[in-house]
C-alpha cells in the first residue's frame, strides 16, 4: 500500500509538473518537480486519504487552478514592472535629448555639466577622442532611429527636417573614418529606414529620400581612404580634401572591418555596388591576413604593407565589431562566404581566448602567450554575439562575469579592469555594450533576471550620472566624480537597448525584429538582401521607376509596400557611369513641411526646444548674461541658408521691439513699488521693506496680501528643484544663475505661497520690476528687495526661525518704514 501511495504521489507530481512546463519557466533555479514535491509534502494531511483512492479529477483541477493563478499573478506583476521601467527609460532619454536640443544643438555633443555644446576647434581639445566630431550634428543624427523606437514620431519628424535643412559635409575637418561611418552614415541610413517604414504605414508623405542623398554625399567623401595597395582604408579622412595631407597609415582591425553593413545597405538602397565592393575587399583582406597558427587576426595593420603592427588578439577594443560585421553581414546579404569567415574565426576565439568565464587577449601568432591581464568594457558586447551565433549557454556564463564586475562598482561597469576586479581605467562613459548583450539574452531566454539586471543598471545611471543638463560620465566609478561628457552613443544605443528590454511590442514604434542593428544600434532592414547592388549598364540614360520595377504581388501586402517604398523614386544612369544620385533624384511634388520660420517674438519661449532649434537655423544663439539676463546673438553666417539668415534679421528686429515694449511696461510698473512687511512675535520686532514687483504672477493690488512663515530655499538660488518643503510658506531666494521666473516656478512647485528674491549687487540699486519669459503659468506672487534689506531680513529669520511672519502687499500709509 505504501508503494502504491508513492506511485500515486509520483504520478500526481509528474502530471502537475507537466502542466507547469507548459505554463513556462518563472526564472527560479529550483526545478518544477521539486516545487510540486514540496506542495504535496506540505499538504499530506489533506492528500493522504484522497491518494489512497487515487487522485481524483477534482483534486487535480484544484491544484492546477491554484498554480495557474499564481503564475498569472507573477506574470501580471512582471509586466507591470517592465511597463514602469519602459516609461522611466523614455523619461530619462527625453531628459538627455531635450537637454542636448536646448543647450547644444547643432553642436556635435552636449557638455552636460557646462550646459553647452561641444564644438570641435572651439571647446578644449581632448585629443583623438574628438576625431569623432565633425561639426555634423552628431548627436541628433545618431539619435534619429532611437526616436522611432520610442514612438516619438513628432520629435523624429522635427529632427529629420533639421538634418535635411542644416547638415552639410563640406567642411575642412579631418574625422575618424570608423566613427563617422558607424555614427553619421549609420545614423542617416537608420533614419532613412525609419522614414520608409513610416511611409509604408501612411505617414511622412513628404519625405523624398533626402537622408539617403546625404548618405551618398558622405560615403563618396569616404572613398579616397580606400586608395591603398591593400584596399584597407586609412583611418582618417578630411571631409573636404580627402586624404590630402593625412599621414596615418596604421588602422585597427575593427576600424577597417566595421564598414560593411553601412556600405552594403547603401549599395542596395541605391543600386551602386561600389560601396559594398570596397568594404568587402577590406573584410576579405583582413580574413586572409589572419594568423594561420590560430586563425585569429591581430589588432593593428599597416594599410600599405598589410603587415600586422600589433599582434595582440581579443574581442575588445580594436577588434570587437569586426567579428560582429562578419556575422551581421551574412544576415543582411545572405552571402554564405561571410558566415564561413565568421565561423572560422569564432571557433578560434573559443579555442584560444575563452578561459572559464573570461575572454582573454593573446598573441595571435603564438596564442598560448597571454599579452595583457586587463579587460575592457567594450568586451561586454560579446555575449550578445554568442547568442546570435547559437551559443546561449556560453553567453550566459560570460555575461555573468561582466554583471559581477559592474555590481562590484556600484552597478557601473568601469572602462577597464583586471581579472582580480581591480580598476585599470576607472571611468564610466555610460557605454551600451553590457546593456546590449543583456537585452539579447533576455530576448533569447525570456529569463526575468535580465530585466532585473537592466533595472539595476538603469537606476545606477539615474542616481549617479543625472545632472540638470542630461547625464554626465563618471571620472571614477568609486568616487562618483563627474566628467563633462555625454557621448552620442548614450542616446543612440544605451537608452535604446534599455527601452527594447522593457517595452512590449505595441510600445515600440517599428517592427524591431525585421531589422539588424549595427554596432551603433542603427536599423538596417533584413530585406535589403532582396535589393540589387549591381549597376545598370546602358549606352544611354536608363531610368527604372519603382512602380514599374515592383512585383505586382507585392503591392497587396504591407511588407510589399514597404519593400517598394525602399526603392528610389527613379534610378538613372548615363553611358555606363554610376549615376549621380543627388543630381538625378527627382523632386517630390509635395515639398517637405519645414519648421516654421514665422515664429513671433511675442510667442518665443526659450525653454521650448523647437523654438530654440528654429532660432539656431536662422543663425541666432541664446546666451545668458550674469546667469539671468537672456541675450540673443545673431550671426547670419551660421544660418542654415541665406533665406534663413534674412529671416533671422527680421526676427531680431521683432524681438528688439518686443523687448522695448516690455521695458516700457516694466518702467511703468517700477514706479509703483510694493512692500514687504515682516513681524517677529518672539522678538516683538516689526519691519517694512520697499520692494520691486514682478511682471509675472498675481499682482498685489486691491488689498491683496500673501502671508506665511519665511524659510530659506535650498538651493539658495532656487534655480533647480527645491529640496525643502515650503508648503504654506514664503520662500526666500537669492538672485543669480537663472531667470527670476524660474526661481518662482521652482518655489511654487515646492508648495510656497509667495517668494522674496534678494539682490546680489553690492551697492543698493533702483528696485527693478522682475521680468518673465512671456508665459502666464505662475500662480504665486513675488517681490524683489535689495541686498542690504535682504541681510536684515535673514538676520531676523535667524533669530526667530519659526515665528517670523511675512506679508507681501501694497504700501499702506500707516506702516512704519524700516530699511531703504
Amino acid at each position: 500500500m505504501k508503494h502504491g501511495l508513492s506511485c500515486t504521489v509520483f504520478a500526481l507530481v509528474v502530471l502537475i509538473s507537466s502542466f507547469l512546463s507548459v505554463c513556462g519557466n518563472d526564472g527560479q533555479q529550483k526545478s518544477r518537480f521539486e516545487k510540486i514535491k514540496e506542495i504535496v509534502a506540505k499538504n499530506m494531511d489533506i492528500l493522504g486519504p484522497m491518494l489512497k483512492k487515487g487522485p481524483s479529477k477534482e483534486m487535480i483541477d484544484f491544484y492546477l487552478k491554484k498554480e495557474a493563478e499564481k503564475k498569472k499573478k507573477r506574470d501580471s506583476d512582471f509586466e507591470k514592472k517592465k511597463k514602469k521601467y519602459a516609461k522611466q527609460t523614455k523619461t530619462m532619454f527625453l531628459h538627455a535629448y531635450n537637454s542636448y536640443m536646448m543647450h547644444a544643438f547643432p553642436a556635435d555633443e552636449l557638455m552636460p555639466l557646462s550646459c553647452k555644446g561641444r564644438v570641435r576647434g572651439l571647446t578644449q581639445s581632448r585629443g583623438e577622442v574628438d576625431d569623432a566630431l565633425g561639426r555634423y550634428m552628431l548627436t541628433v543624427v545618431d539619435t534619429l532611429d532611437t526616436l522611432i523606437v520610442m514612438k516619438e514620431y513628432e520629435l523624429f519628424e522635427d529632427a529629420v527636417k533639421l538634418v535635411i535643412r542644416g547638415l552639410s559635409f563640406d567642411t575642412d575637418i579631418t574625422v575618424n573614418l570608423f566613427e563617422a561611418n558607424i555614427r553619421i552614415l549609420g545614423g542617416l541610413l537608420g533614419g532613412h529606414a525609419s522614414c520608409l517604414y513610416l511611409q509604408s504605414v501612411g505617414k511622412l508623405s513628404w519625405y523624398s529620400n533626402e537622408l539617403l542623398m546625404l548618405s551618398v554625399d558622405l560615403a563618396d567623401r569616404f572613398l579616397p581612404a580606400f586608395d591603398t595597395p591593400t584596399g584597407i582604408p586609412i583611418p582618417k579622412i578630411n571631409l573636404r580634401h580627402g586624404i590630402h595631407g593625412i599621414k596615418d597609415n596604421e588602422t585597427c582591425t575593427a576600424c577597417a572591418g566595421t564598414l560593411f553593413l553601412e556600405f552594403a545597405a547603401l549599395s542596395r538602397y541605391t543600386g551602386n555596388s561600389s560601396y559594398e565592393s570596397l568594404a568587402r575587399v577590406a573584410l576579405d583582406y583582413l580574413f586572409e591576413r589572419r594568423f594561420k597558427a590560430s586563425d585569429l587576426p591581430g589588432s593593428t595593420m599597416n594599410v600599405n604593407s598589410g603587415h600586422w603592427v600589433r599582434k595582440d588578439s581579443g574581442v575588445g577594443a580594436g577588434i570587437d565589431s569586426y567579428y560582429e560585421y562578419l556575422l551581421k553581414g551574412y544576415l543582411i546579404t545572405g552571402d554564405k562566404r561571410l558566415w564561413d569567415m565568421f565561423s572560422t574565426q569564432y571557433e578560434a576565439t573559443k579555442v584560444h581566448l575563452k578561459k572559464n568565464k573570461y575572454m582573454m587577449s593573446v598573441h595571435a601568432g603564438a596564442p598560448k602567450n597571454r599579452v595583457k591581464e586587463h579587460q575592457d568594457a567594450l568586451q561586454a558586447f560579446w555575449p550578445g554575439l554568442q547568442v546570435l551565433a547559437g551559443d546561449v549557454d556560453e553567453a550566459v556564463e560570460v555575461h555573468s562575469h561582466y554583471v559581477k564586475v559592474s555590481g562590484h562598482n556600484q552597478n557601473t561597469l568601469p572602462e577597464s579592469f583586471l581579472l582580480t576586479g581591480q580598476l585599470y581605467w576607472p571611468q564610466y562613459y555610460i557605454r551600451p555594450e553590457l546593456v546590449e548583450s543583456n537585452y539579447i539574452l533576455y530576448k533569447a531566454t525570456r529569463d526575468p533576471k535580465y530585466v532585473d539586471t537592466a533595472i539595476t543598471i538603469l537606476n545606477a545611471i539615474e542616481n549617479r550620472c543625472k545632472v540638470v543638463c542630461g547625464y554626465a560620465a563618471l571620472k571614477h566609478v568609486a568616487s562618483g566624480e563627474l566628467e563633462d561628457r555625454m557621448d552620442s552613443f548614450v542616446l543612440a544605443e544605451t537608452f535604446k537597448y534599455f527601452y527594447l528590454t522593457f517595452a512590449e511590442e505595441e510600445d515600440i514604434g517599428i517592427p524591431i525584429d525585421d531589422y539588424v542593428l549595427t554596432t551603433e544600434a542603427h536599423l538596417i532592414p533584413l530585406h535589403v538582401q532582396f535589393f540589387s547592388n549591381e549597376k545598370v549598364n546602358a549606352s544611354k540614360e536608363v531610368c527604372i521607376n519603382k512602380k514599374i520595377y515592383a512585383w505586382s504581388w507585392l503591392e497587396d501586402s504591407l511588407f510589399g509596400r514597404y519593400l517598394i517604398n525602399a526603392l528610389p523614386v527613379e534610378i538613372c544612369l548615363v553611358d555606363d557611369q554610376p549615376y549621380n544620385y543627388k543630381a538625378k533624384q527627382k523632386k517630390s511634388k509635395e515639398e517637405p513641411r519645414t519648421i516654421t520660420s514665422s515664429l513671433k517674438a511675442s510667442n518665443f519661449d526659450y525653454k521650448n526646444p523647437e523654438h530654440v532649434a528654429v532660432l539656431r537655423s536662422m543663425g541666432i544663439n541664446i546666451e545668458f548674461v550674469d546667469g539671468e539676463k537672456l541675450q540673443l546673438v545673431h550671426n547670419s553666417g551660421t544660418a542654415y541658408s541665406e533665406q534663413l539668415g534674412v529671416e533671422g534679421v527680421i526676427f531680431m528686429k521683432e524681438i528688439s521691439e518686443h523687448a522695448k515694449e516690455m521695458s516700457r511696461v516694466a518702467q511703468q510698473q517700477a514706479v509703483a513699488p510694493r512692500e514687504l512687511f515682516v513681524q517677529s512675535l518672539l522678538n516683538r520686532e516689526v519691519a517694512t521693506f520697499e520692494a520691486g514687483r514682478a511682471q509675472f504672477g498675481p499682482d498685489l493690488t486691491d488689498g491683496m496680501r500673501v502671508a506665511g512663515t519665511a524659510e530659506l530655499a535650498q538651493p539658495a538660488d532656487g534655480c533647480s528643484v527645491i529640496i525643502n518643503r515650503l508648503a504654506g510658506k514664503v520662500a526666500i531666494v537669492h538672485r543669480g544663475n537663472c531667470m527670476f521666473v524660474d526661481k518662482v516656478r521652482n518655489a511654487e512647485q515646492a508648495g510656497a505661497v509667495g517668494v522674496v528674491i534678494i539682490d546680489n549687487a553690492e551697492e543698493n540699486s533702483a528696485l527693478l520690476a522682475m521680468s518673465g519669459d512671456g508665459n502666464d503659468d505662475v500662480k504665486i506672487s513675488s517681490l524683489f528687495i535689495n541686498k542690504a534689506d535682504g541681510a536684515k531680513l535673514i538676520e531676523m529669520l535667524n533669530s526667530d526661525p519659526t515665528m517670523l511672519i511675512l506679508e507681501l502687499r501694497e504700501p499702506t500709509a500707516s506702516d512704519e518704514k524700516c530699511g531703504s
Side-chain angles (χ1 to χ4, degrees), residues 251-254 291 294 296-301 308-320 323 353 360-367 369-374 376 379:
T251 193
C252 70
T253 302
F291 285 85
S294 64
L296 295 172
S299 63
T300 305
M301 176 179 282
W308 292 108
V309 179
R310 290 183 54 186
K311 301 176 182 179
D312 55 301
S313 191
V315 297
I319 299 182
D320 48 4
Y323 291 110
L353 303 184
M360 309 305 300
S361 293
V362 301
H363 189 292
N369 298 332
R370 191 182 298 176
V371 296
K372 60 183 179 182
E373 297 297 324
H374 64 275
D376 58 66
Q379 292 179 229

Side-chain angles (χ1 to χ4, degrees), residues 294-425:
S294 64
D295 276 331
L296 295 172
S299 63
T300 305
M301 176 179 282
N302 183 293
V303 301
N304 295 318
S305 68
H307 294 152
W308 292 108
V309 179
R310 290 183 54 186
K311 301 176 182 179
D312 55 301
S313 191
V315 297
I319 299 182
D320 48 4
S321 48
Y322 162 65
Y323 291 110
E324 181 183 2
Y325 272 40
L326 287 174
L327 176 55
K328 292 182 177 179
Y330 164 70
L331 293 178
I332 70 164
T333 65
D335 186 341
K336 190 176 182 300
R337 168 67 175 160
L338 290 172
W339 170 256
D340 293 338
M341 292 162 65
F342 170 76
S343 297
T344 297
Q345 296 195 295
Y346 179 70
E347 289 302 317
T349 67
K350 295 168 70 173
V351 171
H352 301 298
L353 303 184
K354 188 173 185 297
K355 306 295 181 184
N356 299 319
K357 296 182 180 181
Y358 313 124
M359 299 303 297
M360 309 305 300
S361 293
V362 301
H363 189 292
K368 291 185 179 180
N369 298 332
R370 191 182 298 176
V371 296
K372 60 183 179 182
E373 297 297 324
H374 64 275
Q375 300 177 297
D376 58 66
L378 296 175
Q379 292 179 229
F381 95 101
W382 188 253
L385 194 67
Q386 289 178 301
V387 171
L388 296 179
D391 283 339
V392 178
D393 291 340
E394 287 199 9
V396 169
E397 184 179 47
V398 174
H399 176 266
S400 68
H401 164 61
Y402 298 113
V403 173
K404 184 178 179 180
V405 174
S406 175
H408 287 165
N409 291 281
Q410 301 179 61
N411 302 306
T412 47
L413 185 66
E415 191 70 359
S416 185
F417 43 90
L418 301 178
L419 294 181
T420 58
Q422 293 175 294
L423 298 177
Y424 192 78
W425 295 326

